[in-house]
Short mmCIF file of all heavy atoms in Angstrom, two decimals:
data_model
loop_
_atom_site.label_atom_id
_atom_site.label_comp_id
_atom_site.label_asym_id
_atom_site.label_seq_id
_atom_site.Cartn_x
_atom_site.Cartn_y
_atom_site.Cartn_z
N MET A 25 -60.94 -21.17 -108.11
CA MET A 25 -62.02 -21.24 -107.09
C MET A 25 -61.66 -22.22 -105.94
O MET A 25 -61.10 -23.24 -106.23
CB MET A 25 -63.33 -21.56 -107.63
CG MET A 25 -64.58 -21.52 -106.79
SD MET A 25 -66.02 -22.22 -107.41
CE MET A 25 -66.17 -23.61 -106.26
N THR A 26 -62.02 -21.81 -104.75
CA THR A 26 -61.82 -22.73 -103.55
C THR A 26 -63.17 -22.68 -102.79
O THR A 26 -64.00 -21.76 -103.05
CB THR A 26 -60.76 -22.23 -102.67
OG1 THR A 26 -61.08 -20.99 -102.19
CG2 THR A 26 -59.41 -22.17 -103.29
N LEU A 27 -63.34 -23.70 -102.02
CA LEU A 27 -64.53 -23.72 -101.04
C LEU A 27 -63.97 -23.49 -99.68
O LEU A 27 -63.03 -24.13 -99.28
CB LEU A 27 -65.26 -25.12 -101.17
CG LEU A 27 -65.96 -25.30 -102.57
CD1 LEU A 27 -66.51 -26.78 -102.63
CD2 LEU A 27 -67.04 -24.23 -102.78
N TRP A 28 -64.65 -22.80 -98.85
CA TRP A 28 -64.30 -22.54 -97.41
C TRP A 28 -64.93 -23.56 -96.58
O TRP A 28 -66.16 -23.67 -96.63
CB TRP A 28 -64.61 -21.11 -97.08
CG TRP A 28 -63.65 -20.08 -97.66
CD1 TRP A 28 -62.83 -20.24 -98.67
CD2 TRP A 28 -63.43 -18.74 -97.20
NE1 TRP A 28 -62.04 -19.09 -98.85
CE2 TRP A 28 -62.51 -18.16 -98.00
CE3 TRP A 28 -64.06 -18.01 -96.24
CZ2 TRP A 28 -62.11 -16.87 -97.82
CZ3 TRP A 28 -63.63 -16.70 -95.96
CH2 TRP A 28 -62.64 -16.12 -96.84
N PHE A 29 -64.12 -24.20 -95.67
CA PHE A 29 -64.69 -25.05 -94.66
C PHE A 29 -64.78 -24.28 -93.39
O PHE A 29 -63.68 -24.00 -92.79
CB PHE A 29 -63.91 -26.37 -94.54
CG PHE A 29 -64.55 -27.36 -93.64
CD1 PHE A 29 -65.89 -27.71 -93.69
CD2 PHE A 29 -63.66 -27.96 -92.66
CE1 PHE A 29 -66.33 -28.73 -92.75
CE2 PHE A 29 -64.15 -28.97 -91.78
CZ PHE A 29 -65.51 -29.28 -91.91
N ALA A 84 -65.61 -14.02 -96.96
CA ALA A 84 -65.97 -14.89 -98.09
C ALA A 84 -66.54 -14.09 -99.20
O ALA A 84 -66.23 -14.40 -100.34
CB ALA A 84 -66.89 -15.88 -97.58
N GLU A 89 -61.94 -15.69 -105.04
CA GLU A 89 -61.80 -17.07 -105.33
C GLU A 89 -62.65 -17.93 -104.54
O GLU A 89 -62.66 -19.20 -104.66
CB GLU A 89 -60.19 -17.43 -105.12
CG GLU A 89 -59.37 -16.85 -106.19
CD GLU A 89 -57.96 -17.45 -106.13
OE1 GLU A 89 -57.72 -18.47 -105.36
OE2 GLU A 89 -57.03 -16.97 -106.72
N CYS A 90 -63.29 -17.44 -103.46
CA CYS A 90 -64.28 -18.23 -102.67
C CYS A 90 -65.45 -18.45 -103.49
O CYS A 90 -66.20 -17.53 -103.79
CB CYS A 90 -64.47 -17.52 -101.30
SG CYS A 90 -65.73 -18.39 -100.28
N GLY A 91 -65.78 -19.65 -103.74
CA GLY A 91 -66.94 -20.07 -104.54
C GLY A 91 -68.11 -20.53 -103.68
O GLY A 91 -69.20 -20.89 -104.23
N GLY A 92 -67.88 -20.72 -102.41
CA GLY A 92 -68.94 -21.25 -101.52
C GLY A 92 -68.46 -21.58 -100.08
O GLY A 92 -67.21 -21.63 -99.89
N VAL A 93 -69.43 -21.76 -99.22
CA VAL A 93 -68.92 -21.98 -97.81
C VAL A 93 -69.67 -23.34 -97.36
O VAL A 93 -70.88 -23.54 -97.51
CB VAL A 93 -69.43 -20.86 -96.92
CG1 VAL A 93 -69.21 -21.21 -95.44
CG2 VAL A 93 -68.75 -19.54 -97.31
N ILE A 94 -68.84 -24.28 -96.79
CA ILE A 94 -69.36 -25.43 -96.16
C ILE A 94 -69.32 -25.26 -94.71
O ILE A 94 -68.27 -24.88 -94.06
CB ILE A 94 -68.48 -26.61 -96.52
CG1 ILE A 94 -68.42 -26.85 -98.07
CG2 ILE A 94 -68.95 -27.97 -95.82
CD1 ILE A 94 -67.50 -27.92 -98.53
N LYS A 115 -72.38 -15.95 -100.94
CA LYS A 115 -71.74 -17.09 -101.56
C LYS A 115 -72.76 -18.31 -101.32
O LYS A 115 -73.40 -18.35 -100.36
CB LYS A 115 -70.40 -17.39 -101.10
CG LYS A 115 -69.38 -16.19 -101.41
CD LYS A 115 -69.21 -15.97 -102.83
CE LYS A 115 -68.42 -14.78 -103.17
NZ LYS A 115 -66.91 -15.13 -103.03
N PRO A 116 -72.70 -19.39 -102.16
CA PRO A 116 -73.49 -20.59 -101.97
C PRO A 116 -73.11 -21.16 -100.60
O PRO A 116 -71.96 -21.13 -100.23
CB PRO A 116 -73.08 -21.48 -103.06
CG PRO A 116 -72.67 -20.51 -104.23
CD PRO A 116 -71.94 -19.36 -103.48
N LEU A 117 -74.14 -21.87 -100.04
CA LEU A 117 -73.94 -22.38 -98.69
C LEU A 117 -74.29 -23.86 -98.71
O LEU A 117 -75.33 -24.26 -99.20
CB LEU A 117 -74.97 -21.59 -97.67
CG LEU A 117 -74.85 -22.09 -96.30
CD1 LEU A 117 -73.53 -21.90 -95.59
CD2 LEU A 117 -75.97 -21.36 -95.47
N MET A 118 -73.47 -24.67 -98.08
CA MET A 118 -73.76 -26.11 -97.77
C MET A 118 -73.63 -26.36 -96.32
O MET A 118 -72.65 -25.91 -95.72
CB MET A 118 -72.81 -26.95 -98.64
CG MET A 118 -73.31 -28.43 -98.65
SD MET A 118 -72.04 -29.55 -99.27
CE MET A 118 -71.11 -29.93 -97.85
N TRP A 180 -72.44 -30.66 -105.30
CA TRP A 180 -72.59 -29.18 -104.97
C TRP A 180 -71.44 -28.35 -105.39
O TRP A 180 -71.65 -27.25 -105.80
CB TRP A 180 -72.81 -29.09 -103.45
CG TRP A 180 -72.97 -27.73 -102.96
CD1 TRP A 180 -74.13 -26.96 -102.99
CD2 TRP A 180 -71.93 -26.92 -102.17
NE1 TRP A 180 -73.88 -25.68 -102.32
CE2 TRP A 180 -72.67 -25.63 -102.01
CE3 TRP A 180 -70.71 -27.07 -101.93
CZ2 TRP A 180 -71.92 -24.64 -101.29
CZ3 TRP A 180 -69.94 -25.97 -101.31
CH2 TRP A 180 -70.63 -24.81 -101.07
N ALA A 184 -71.61 -25.10 -107.52
CA ALA A 184 -71.06 -23.87 -107.01
C ALA A 184 -69.96 -23.32 -108.02
O ALA A 184 -69.93 -22.02 -108.19
CB ALA A 184 -70.39 -24.00 -105.74
N HIS A 188 -70.04 -19.75 -109.85
CA HIS A 188 -68.85 -18.82 -109.60
C HIS A 188 -68.41 -18.37 -111.01
O HIS A 188 -68.04 -17.21 -111.24
CB HIS A 188 -67.84 -19.63 -108.88
CG HIS A 188 -66.58 -18.79 -108.64
ND1 HIS A 188 -65.42 -18.90 -109.32
CD2 HIS A 188 -66.31 -17.81 -107.74
CE1 HIS A 188 -64.42 -18.10 -108.85
NE2 HIS A 188 -64.96 -17.47 -107.93
#
Side-chain angles (χ1 to χ4, degrees):
M25 187 191 109
T26 61
L27 296 172
W28 285 17
F29 185 48
E89 293 191 10
C90 176
V93 173
I94 300 173
K115 299 298 176 79
L117 178 65
M118 191 188 86
W180 180 79
H188 183 255

